[in-house]
Amino acid sequence: MKTETSSSPRPLEVALLASVFVVAACGLVYELAAGALASYLLGDSVLQFSTVIGSYLFAMGIGSWLSRFFERQLPAHFLRIELMVALVGGALPAILFVANAFVPGAFRFLLYALVLLVGTLVGLEIPLVMRILRRNVALKELVSQVLTFDYLGALAVSLAFPLVLVPQLGLIRTGLLFGLMNAAVAVWALWLFRHELRNFRAHALACALTLGGLFAGFLGAERITTLAEDHFYQDRAVYTATTPYQRIVVTAGRGGHKLFLNGNLQFAERDEYRYHEALVHPVMSAHGAPKKVAVLGGGDGMAVREILKYPGVESITLVELDPAMTRMFSQQPALRRLNADALLSPKVHIVNADAFQWLDTTPGMFDVVVVDFPDPTNFSIGKLYTNSFYALLDRHLAASGYAVIQTTSPLVARRSFWTVVSTIESVGLQATPYHANVPSFGEWGFVVASHRPFSPTTQAGHLPPGLRFLNPQTLPLLFDFPQDMARVPAPVNRLSNQELVHSYEQEWGKM
């Protein structure tokens, strides 16, 4: 059999290799979108990405094996597969998003069913392209060229997905955009092989309908997102943002505003004062005269609002990873009202950085450090509850200073709560736990970390006026633990072995 070995590529060869680039990019986008959604909604990003990627690669292997059964009319099969990938892969984020809102119990099954289906279809694509190209290209050149364009497409989208696509378009529009690109490859194949295709009109109609459906979805993506989120959160979503770090949703309803990060409630307007007063005032009032304060996390500005009630405070450094959070809560009028314009205070210096790295590289001592991170639902957040992190915190805490850490529920997640206490103690700091009832969360826990013994204030003049929850009589009661929340044996949470993430998932999973 004669093969073409000319060094100058033919137009057909160039077109198909460009298709390989697009196909590889699209396939990786669907894989990343599924992993990101699973991480957002199911937690434990390492587990979710590992299982999604593993399932996807397994399905691609199945698709590659199935390609052997396609013997005739290869261009027609390639065109049909492109259209199916475009529809299923492009709509994957939207389908999963809506499923989580309306049938949350089916989300996990649907996630892996779609991942397996898309992976199988994507696994069929490259073998078919290679067999079509083999008509004109020597096998040695064929393999190297196809793999080169495949890897280049994967590289391009792996960089664009977190840096450009998700922040600018969101997951749903990103999926639909790449579905349109897959459909465009099908249209290209329709034109390239127009003389070989039987039922050309039927193929053209299928292409037109697929492009029309995906384009309509792209235009209506915002409505799809709003419909799903309004149903899931049971209140109207008024501010939303998808960032490289998380999905931010602020809702408004009869109970006021609520903040959700990756679907997890962070505060509810009707009772957030209980949480933030309990978080801030025990350490601020006990210190006596704090001047330099750091807030790690807490990009909503609520903790900063409480700290600013102490006129002696000279500077507050807010370290928040996600600039979208601090931007939203310093620019939107309704959210600025909630934090009393705290983020606009001249005393506040906002640093958008990873708190772990910031502590490791930035000098400075603080009288009070308020640590207000989300719960350790995954390893990225879990590292901020390790002995390595608390050792860094120790280096920035003045000899007479106090740090306070929000520490999940000692009632629901009892072992997780006391794991944080054990971890703080493991670096030589004294740990003083306490708890408060916040109706939106239930019984919630905190831990004071310090070099010196901690004692809550009982003097009226040490607390600022106008508090709605705490007073000198009730504040000491927060440090009393009933029997069902008393200390239990718990391990140290280490960076190399994050026991806390596993225990947290087990305990909250029982709810």
Side-chain angles (χ1 to χ4, degrees):
M1 177 178 165
K2 187 177 179 180
T3 58
E4 179 65 52
T5 59
S6 171
S7 59
S8 58
R10 295 185 175 188
L12 176 62
E13 179 186 342
V14 173
L16 286 173
L17 289 174
S19 299
V20 170
F21 181 90
V22 175
V23 163
C26 293
L28 186 57
V29 160
Y30 307 142
E31 182 180 0
L32 292 173
L37 270 170
S39 178
Y40 285 175
L41 302 173
L42 299 177
D44 195 345
S45 56
V46 173
L47 174 65
Q48 304 310 326
F49 269 101
S50 295
T51 54
V52 166
I53 290 172
S55 301
Y56 192 85
L57 293 175
F58 170 72
M60 285 182 66
I62 293 175
S64 297
W65 181 80
L66 290 174
S67 68
R68 65 193 296 182
F69 297 105
F70 294 82
E71 298 179 356
R72 300 178 181 179
Q73 289 289 304
L74 296 182
H77 290 310
F78 176 71
L79 190 151
R80 296 187 195 104
I81 289 167
E82 282 302 297
L83 292 179
M84 286 190 286
V85 172
L87 279 173
V88 181
L92 182 145
I95 292 170
L96 291 176
F97 211 71
V98 171
N100 182 65
F102 290 91
V103 282
F107 176 84
R108 196 182 297 267
F109 170 80
L110 193 59
L111 167 70
Y112 288 101
L114 288 173
V115 165
L116 290 171
L117 177 57
V118 174
T120 301
L121 293 171
V122 170
L124 284 164
E125 290 175 312
I126 300 300
L128 290 181
V129 170
M130 292 180 70
R131 288 167 64 185
I132 294 170
L133 279 168
R134 205 169 71 179
R135 304 170 179 176
N136 303 297
V137 184
L139 182 61
K140 178 181 177 182
E141 294 182 8
L142 171 65
V143 174
S144 65
Q145 289 177 355
V146 168
L147 291 180
T148 297
F149 277 82
D150 183 48
Y151 295 148
L152 285 174
L155 172 64
V157 83
S158 66
L159 296 174
F161 185 82
L163 299 176
V164 179
L165 295 170
V166 173
Q168 298 299 322
L169 298 177
L171 281 172
I172 290 181
R173 276 207 175 103
T174 296
L176 291 165
L177 173 64
F178 278 78
L180 285 166
M181 291 172 64
N182 261 130
V185 170
V187 173
W188 199 344
L190 178 71
W191 174 252
L192 288 173
F193 302 106
R194 59 192 181 280
H195 300 301
E196 297 183 42
L197 294 173
R198 302 169 186 172
N199 301 318
F200 177 84
R201 290 184 178 178
H203 286 109
L205 178 61
C207 288
L209 290 174
T210 301
L211 282 168
L214 290 169
F215 188 69
F218 186 85
L219 294 178
E222 196 64 37
R223 179 168 291 186
I224 295 171
T225 303
T226 301
L227 174 69
E229 289 185 332
D230 286 354
H231 187 274
F232 179 78
Y233 296 112
Q234 300 180 347
D235 284 325
R236 182 170 55 93
V238 290
Y239 305 110
T240 61
T242 301
T243 77
Y245 311 107
Q246 59 200 346
R247 174 68 176 170
I248 306 170
V249 176
V250 179
T251 65
R254 280 187 287 181
H257 291 83
K258 295 179 181 178
L259 170 66
F260 296 87
L261 299 181
N262 294 341
N264 298 310
L265 179 65
Q266 303 301 304
F267 74 73
E269 182 178 351
R270 65 182 178 182
D271 58 16
E272 60 81 13
Y273 68 92
R274 280 180 161 245
Y275 173 89
H276 291 104
E277 286 187 17
L279 174 69
V280 169
H281 294 296
V283 289
M284 290 292 292
S285 61
H287 186 280
K291 296 185 182 301
K292 290 187 63 179
V293 180
V295 179
L296 310 182
D300 52 41
M302 306 297 191
V304 175
R305 177 197 65 200
E306 297 301 315
I307 294 167
L308 286 170
K309 293 177 179 178
Y310 294 82
V313 171
E314 296 176 355
S315 68
I316 303 170
T317 302
L318 172 63
V319 184
E320 164 62 50
L321 175 64
D322 196 341
M325 274 288 289
T326 49
R327 186 166 55 246
M328 185 181 292
F329 279 86
S330 61
Q331 294 180 357
Q332 296 297 340
L335 305 182
R336 287 171 52 190
R337 176 182 59 81
L338 291 179
N339 63 32
D341 278 339
L343 298 184
L344 302 179
S345 169
K347 293 183 178 182
V348 177
H349 173 55
I350 297 174
V351 179
N352 292 124
D354 179 276
F356 199 109
Q357 295 178 5
W358 185 82
L359 286 177
D360 193 27
T361 58
T362 306
M365 305 293 284
F366 295 93
D367 300 312
V368 170
V369 181
V370 176
V371 183
D372 192 17
F373 298 130
D375 277 6
T377 54
N378 58 59
F379 295 112
S380 296
I381 303 174
K383 72 177 184 180
L384 303 172
Y385 289 82
T386 60
N387 58 347
S388 299
F389 179 81
Y390 296 134
L392 293 174
L393 182 64
D394 182 16
R395 284 167 30 188
H396 290 268
L397 194 61
S400 60
Y402 296 120
V404 59
I405 298 105
Q406 90 80 16
T407 319
T408 197
S409 170
L411 181 63
V412 176
R414 188 175 177 183
R415 185 168 181 265
S416 298
F417 177 85
W418 292 104
T419 293
V420 176
V421 175
S422 297
T423 305
I424 292 170
E425 292 173 339
S426 72
V427 300
L429 289 168
Q430 296 191 39
T432 309
Y434 65 102
H435 61 99
N437 186 269
V438 182
S440 294
F441 298 150
E443 203 67 41
W444 211 254
F446 310 86
V447 182
V448 176
S450 58
H451 300 117
R452 56 172 174 155
F454 175 84
S455 179
T457 185
T458 58
Q459 298 181 36
H462 286 193
L463 288 170
L467 299 187
R468 301 166 60 189
F469 176 51
L470 292 180
N471 60 47
Q473 292 73 45
T474 59
L475 195 155
L477 301 178
L478 304 184
F479 294 81
D480 181 36
F481 279 77
Q483 187 173 333
D484 59 354
M485 294 192 294
R487 186 161 191 168
V488 293
V492 173
N493 189 44
R494 304 179 188 279
L495 199 58
S496 59
N497 183 19
Q498 294 192 31
E499 292 274 354
L500 179 61
V501 175
H502 299 298
S503 64
Y504 180 90
E505 184 178 3
Q506 292 169 0
E507 290 179 309
W508 280 100
K510 297 175 183 178
M511 291 292 290

